[in-house]
């Protein structure tokens, strides 16, 4: 009886479209495997965030250009533009992104160019893995 | 142990240890060079030594090294002096010398001559030393040797060489069998006949090896033979590797006979049949077929488990890189590693063909839809200047931006006309 319940296929929303997916998959266990390569679940959310940002980046920049052109475009059009950008998913905004260390998923103390936390950066630099990075001495 | 190098000093020790005269107690052995107290004692020691040498020569080939030490050693042992005075000496020359020296102690005048004599004797001894064969320690030392194993071929030959035994049984044996049968009790006649038959077998004129075969075959008659159930149904046999034992074409040897005997015993069971290989018994692996039909079991409750198992299988089939260079090559092919020397415009090779005019002069895309005057035109011209200044995006993307605005303003045409941004009269 329990197996029959498991065997049933249901329609679940996956990435914004309805997809016929078996119930076992609904437990989002198969999707987990792609994310197992990240150090943190917060990192996984961050990755999803970035994917959404990439998806809506074109639309968003265009609408924002209309919003920011102050004395050129009539204000009625601007209001409509504001509403439109509000309708877009929140995950797609760049300002909502929070950078993390690629290796440790540390949210603070990042060295921007290498996308690493200061601790990891220091470790790699000491082992001569960062090109052009040398211990300061003067 | 057989071939050990013996130093000069240890030889006399060994000699004394293993001499036939007897093993001397250890405490009596002395290695320090102590000069003899009296010349007489020295002479006596020398004589005794000579005697001993004579004895040892008679019994075994003794090595004779420097005798000076020996004399001194001998001088210390009272037992030696007492025991080793033996009259038996095969060497006549030495015996004579011994006899000569056994005379009572002479006066001082003769001592000199005696000294000379002794020296002479010494010289003779030394001369004789050279001629005497060295002692083979192996003969005196007891060493373990391999036991002589009985060779069957030799045995057979021996049996052949022997004269053929008599065909009839001796009357004494007959009487003996009768007595035995009677003593055993039961069916005396039957037992007697059996015994006589066995005796006849042993004493027949036929050669021994056939005799043996006959006896063995007779032995088999009474015994049960193993028969495996699959003997009748021998399918196409795959001759992977037939051991010399299991080869049916093999001629019967003495060894095979022995193994036949052992087969019957439970200690060493040898399989009679060769294992059949069923090719279509199990499910096919599908390695060489192109049909990659992945059976998606919906009934599986452990999708993570199965996915990981699949990944593990993939990893098992794929080989890890031989070295770091190969690893870097694979990464480059996958796109994970940049190609060296680093090119900032990697992936934008097609952009080199496109000229700057397509990037810069974008107003032509406004033709047709954009009004010549008004806020929209103003806005669009700003967009075009902005895009023209951007070298990082492709021409297609720039065109896409302009197209997007075209669609956007087309949707809001009604509103724009109401506001007065677009002049409807044109």
């Amino acid at each position: 009886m329990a197996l029959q319940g498991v065997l049933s296929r249901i329609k679940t929303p996956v990435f914004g479209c309805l997809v016929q997916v078996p119930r076992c998959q609904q437990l989002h266990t198969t999707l987990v495997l792609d994310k197992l390569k990240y150090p943190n679940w917060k990192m996984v959310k961050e990755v999803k965030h970035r994917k959404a940002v990439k998806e809506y980046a074109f639309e968003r920049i265009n609408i924002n250009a209309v919003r920011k052109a102050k004395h050129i475009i009539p204000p009625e059009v601007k209001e409509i533009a504001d509403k439109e950008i509000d309708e877009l998913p929140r995950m797609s905004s760049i300002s909502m992104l929070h950078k993390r260390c690629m290796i440790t998923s540390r949210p603070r103390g990042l060295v921007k160019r290498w996308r690493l936390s200061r601790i990891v950066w220091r470790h790699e630099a000491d082992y001569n893995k960062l090109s052009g990075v040398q211990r300061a001495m003067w | 142990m057989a071939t050990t190098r013996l130093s000069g000093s240890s030889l006399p020790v060994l000699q004394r240890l293993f001499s036939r005269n007897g093993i001397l107690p250890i405490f009596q052995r002395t290695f320090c060079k102590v000069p003899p107290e009296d010349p007489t004692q020295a002479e006596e020691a020398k004589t005794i030594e000579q005697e001993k040498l004579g004895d040892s020569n008679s019994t075994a080939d003794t090595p004779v090294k420097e005798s000076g030490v020996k004399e001194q050693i001998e001088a210390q042992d009272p037992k030696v002096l007492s025991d080793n005075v033996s009259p038996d000496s095969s060497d006549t020359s030495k015996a004579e010398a011994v006899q000569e020296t056994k005379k009572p102690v002479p006066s001082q005048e003769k001592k000199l001559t005696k000294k000379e004599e002794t020296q002479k004797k010494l010289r003779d001894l030394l001369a004789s030393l050279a001629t005497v064969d060295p002692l083979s320690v192996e003969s005196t030392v007891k060493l373990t040797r391999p036991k002589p194993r009985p060779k069957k071929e030799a045995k057979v030959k021996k049996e052949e060489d022997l004269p053929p035994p008599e065909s009839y049984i001796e009357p004494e044996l007959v009487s003996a069998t009768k007595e035995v049968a009677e003593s055993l009790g039961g069916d005396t006649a039957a037992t007697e006949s059996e015994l006589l038959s066995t005796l006849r077998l042993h004493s027949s004129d036929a050669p021994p090896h056939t005799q043996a075969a006959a006896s063995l075959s007779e032995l088999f008659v009474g015994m049960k033979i193993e028969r495996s159930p699959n003997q009748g149904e021998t399918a196409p046999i795959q001759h992977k590797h037939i051991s010399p034992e299991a080869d049916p074409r093999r001629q019967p040897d003495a060894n095979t006979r022995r193994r036949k005997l052992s087969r019957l015993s439970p200690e060493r069971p040898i399989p009679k049949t060769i294992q059949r290989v069923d090719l279509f018994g199990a499910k096919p692996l599908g390695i060489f077929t192109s049909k990659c039909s992945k059976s998606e079991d919906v009934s599986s409750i452990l999708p993570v488990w199965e996915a990981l198992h699949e990944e593990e299988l993939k990893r098992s089939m794929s080989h890890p890189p031989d070295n770091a260079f190969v690893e870097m090559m694979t990464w480059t092919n996958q796109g994970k590693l940049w190609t060296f020397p680093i090119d900032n415009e990697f992936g934008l090779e097609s952009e080199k063909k496109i000229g700057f005019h397509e990037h810069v002069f974008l107003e032509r895309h406004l033709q047709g839809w954009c009004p010549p005057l008004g806020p929209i035109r103003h806005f669009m011209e700003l967009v075009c200047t902005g895009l023209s200044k951007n070298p990082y995006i492709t021409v297609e993307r720039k065109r896409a931006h302009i197209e997007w605005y075209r669609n956007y303003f087309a949707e809001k045409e009604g509103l724009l006309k109401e506001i007065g941004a677009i002049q409807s009269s044109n």
Side-chain angles (χ1 to χ4, degrees):
Chain A
M1 285 285 281
L3 270 172
Q4 280 177 8
V6 166
L7 283 164
S8 66
R9 282 173 173 269
I10 57 144
K11 287 200 172 177
T12 50
V14 174
F15 293 127
C17 51
L18 289 172
V19 168
Q20 206 177 39
V21 153
R23 183 160 278 188
C24 58
Q25 278 191 2
Q26 207 194 357
L27 307 166
H28 65 78
T29 47
T30 47
L31 302 171
V32 162
L33 286 166
D34 297 329
K35 277 79 181 175
L36 281 172
K37 58 190 177 183
Y38 297 107
N40 216 349
W41 287 108
K42 293 180 186 176
M43 189 85 158
V44 171
K45 281 168 84 178
E46 190 65 29
V47 167
K48 281 186 195 171
H49 208 321
R50 284 169 193 281
K51 282 181 181 172
V53 164
K54 190 180 178 180
E55 201 184 333
Y56 292 99
F58 187 79
E59 230 174 286
R60 255 197 131 88
I61 201 165
N62 291 331
I63 294 162
N64 270 326
V66 169
R67 281 172 69 228
K68 299 297 177 184
K70 248 186 180 180
H71 299 287
I72 301 155
I73 285 179
E76 294 85 11
V77 180
K78 269 188 196 171
E79 283 169 22
I80 295 159
D82 290 337
K83 284 176 191 174
E84 276 177 0
I85 209 156
D86 219 17
E87 282 163 15
L88 289 171
R90 196 173 275 185
M91 292 274 264
S92 61
S93 70
I94 297 166
S95 55
M96 294 284 281
L97 288 173
H98 199 87
K99 288 174 186 175
R100 285 182 170 269
C101 172
M102 283 287 114
I103 290 160
T104 54
S105 178
R106 197 164 192 274
R108 294 193 179 90
L110 301 175
V111 184
K112 197 176 176 181
R113 193 186 278 183
W114 289 270
R115 303 178 191 173
L116 299 172
S117 78
R118 55 177 179 78
I119 300 151
V120 175
W121 187 92
R122 220 179 97 95
H123 178 272
E124 297 294 298
D126 284 340
Y127 283 94
N128 201 25
K129 303 286 176 68
L130 305 177
S131 173
V133 174
Q134 199 185 15
R135 279 201 157 258
M137 194 163 58
W138 71 94
Chain B
M1 276 297 284
T3 56
T4 51
R5 278 195 174 179
L6 300 163
S7 59
S9 58
S10 62
L11 264 172
V13 171
L14 279 168
Q15 208 185 355
R16 292 166 86 255
L17 267 175
F18 298 110
S19 67
R20 293 290 179 95
N21 293 327
I23 295 162
L24 296 157
I26 293 161
F27 67 84
Q28 284 188 347
R29 275 194 283 120
T30 51
F31 299 91
C32 53
K33 282 192 179 180
V34 178
E37 291 166 70
D38 294 321
T40 54
Q41 269 199 352
E43 284 167 17
E44 281 176 344
K46 278 174 202 169
T47 59
I48 288 149
E49 228 191 14
Q50 282 163 13
E51 281 170 358
K52 211 187 170 187
L53 277 168
D55 295 333
S56 59
N57 278 331
S58 66
T59 53
D61 295 323
T62 56
V64 196
K65 285 269 176 174
E66 202 53 41
S67 55
V69 178
K70 269 195 232 168
E71 286 174 17
Q72 284 143 21
I73 290 160
E74 298 274 2
Q76 300 286 316
D77 306 25
K79 269 198 181 181
V80 172
L81 293 164
S82 61
D83 293 339
N84 290 338
V85 174
S86 59
D88 302 325
S89 54
S90 58
D91 209 346
T92 51
S93 60
K94 285 190 181 165
E96 282 175 2
V98 164
Q99 280 167 13
E100 281 176 9
T101 51
K102 270 190 176 175
K103 285 172 186 175
V105 178
S107 57
Q108 286 200 352
E109 290 176 12
K110 290 181 185 177
K111 269 189 187 178
L112 292 161
T113 54
K114 277 270 174 176
K115 270 193 182 175
E116 284 173 13
E117 280 178 13
T118 52
Q119 277 176 12
K120 231 189 175 182
K121 280 164 197 165
L122 257 175
R123 264 179 251 134
D124 294 330
L125 247 177
L126 286 165
S128 71
L129 283 175
T131 55
V132 168
D133 295 322
L135 183 138
S136 60
V137 184
E138 292 172 20
S139 60
T140 54
V141 175
K142 277 188 181 178
L143 300 167
T144 54
R145 293 202 182 264
K147 291 176 190 176
R149 301 225 178 251
K151 286 184 185 178
K152 288 204 172 177
E153 288 173 13
K155 263 191 178 178
V156 169
K157 281 175 188 172
K158 278 178 188 172
E159 283 173 19
E160 281 176 354
D161 289 332
L162 286 166
E166 289 173 345
S167 56
Y168 78 95
I169 303 154
E170 287 171 28
E172 290 176 1
L173 280 169
V174 172
S175 59
T177 53
K178 275 184 182 175
E179 285 172 12
V180 163
E182 281 168 4
S183 67
L184 282 168
D187 198 2
T188 54
T191 51
E192 205 189 316
S193 65
E194 275 179 32
L195 285 164
L196 286 166
S197 67
T198 51
L199 278 168
R200 257 179 242 127
L201 277 169
H202 284 294
S203 64
S204 65
D205 278 330
H209 61 267
T210 52
Q211 227 185 78
S215 67
L216 278 166
S217 62
E218 284 195 9
L219 277 168
F220 287 152
V221 164
M223 292 177 186
K224 289 180 188 176
I225 300 161
E226 267 182 33
R227 287 198 191 280
S228 55
N230 296 333
Q231 223 177 13
E233 30 175 344
T234 49
I237 296 155
Q238 287 192 0
H239 293 271
K240 291 181 198 176
H241 170 73
I242 301 162
S243 62
E245 293 177 28
D247 197 2
R249 293 171 285 178
R250 202 183 168 186
Q251 297 299 319
D253 300 333
N255 290 330
T256 53
R257 254 182 273 130
R258 187 153 42 97
R259 274 160 200 171
K260 272 182 190 172
L261 281 171
S262 67
R263 197 192 284 182
L264 300 164
S265 65
E267 289 166 9
R268 266 199 272 162
I270 297 156
K272 264 195 170 184
T273 56
I274 299 153
Q275 279 185 348
R276 278 196 301 156
V277 176
D278 190 14
L279 288 169
F280 302 101
K283 214 176 175 182
L285 291 167
I287 296 163
F288 302 110
T289 54
S290 59
K291 301 177 204 172
C292 305
S293 58
K294 264 194 177 181
S295 60
E296 291 177 21
D297 298 323
V298 186
S299 60
S300 65
I301 309 161
L302 304 165
V304 179
W305 208 271
E306 281 173 21
L308 287 168
H309 182 64
E310 274 179 42
E311 277 186 24
E312 203 181 319
L313 286 170
K314 274 187 194 173
R315 255 185 281 131
S316 69
M317 286 201 282
S318 68
H319 299 283
D322 294 327
N323 50 43
F325 294 115
V326 173
E327 197 182 30
M328 284 169 84
M329 278 194 264
T330 51
W331 282 345
T332 314
N333 290 330
Q334 286 167 9
K336 290 178 183 176
L337 196 67
W338 287 352
T339 55
F340 292 96
I342 286 166
D343 182 22
N344 279 328
E345 287 161 19
F346 181 76
L348 301 168
E349 285 89 21
S350 59
E351 285 297 310
K352 286 178 189 174
K353 295 170 194 174
I354 297 158
F356 78 100
H357 57 279
E358 289 187 53
H359 279 275
V360 175
F361 305 120
L362 298 162
E363 281 84 15
R364 58 197 191 89
H365 299 295
L366 302 172
Q367 280 174 4
W369 64 276
C370 196
L373 296 164
I376 293 160
R377 183 82 195 191
H378 190 157
F379 178 73
M380 285 313 300
E381 278 178 359
L382 287 168
V383 166
C384 290
T385 49
L387 285 170
S388 67
K389 285 181 181 182
N390 190 340
Y392 304 111
I393 52 175
T394 56
V395 176
E396 286 84 33
R397 196 181 161 103
K398 289 177 186 180
R399 259 185 260 167
H401 274 289
I402 293 160
E403 273 295 313
W404 189 89
Y405 280 120
R406 183 179 162 178
N407 296 327
Y408 185 74
F409 291 127
E411 285 170 13
K412 287 148 182 83
E413 206 175 347
L415 173 69
L416 287 166
K417 278 181 180 174
E418 279 179 37
I419 297 160
I422 297 166
Q423 285 174 9
S424 58
S425 60
N426 285 2

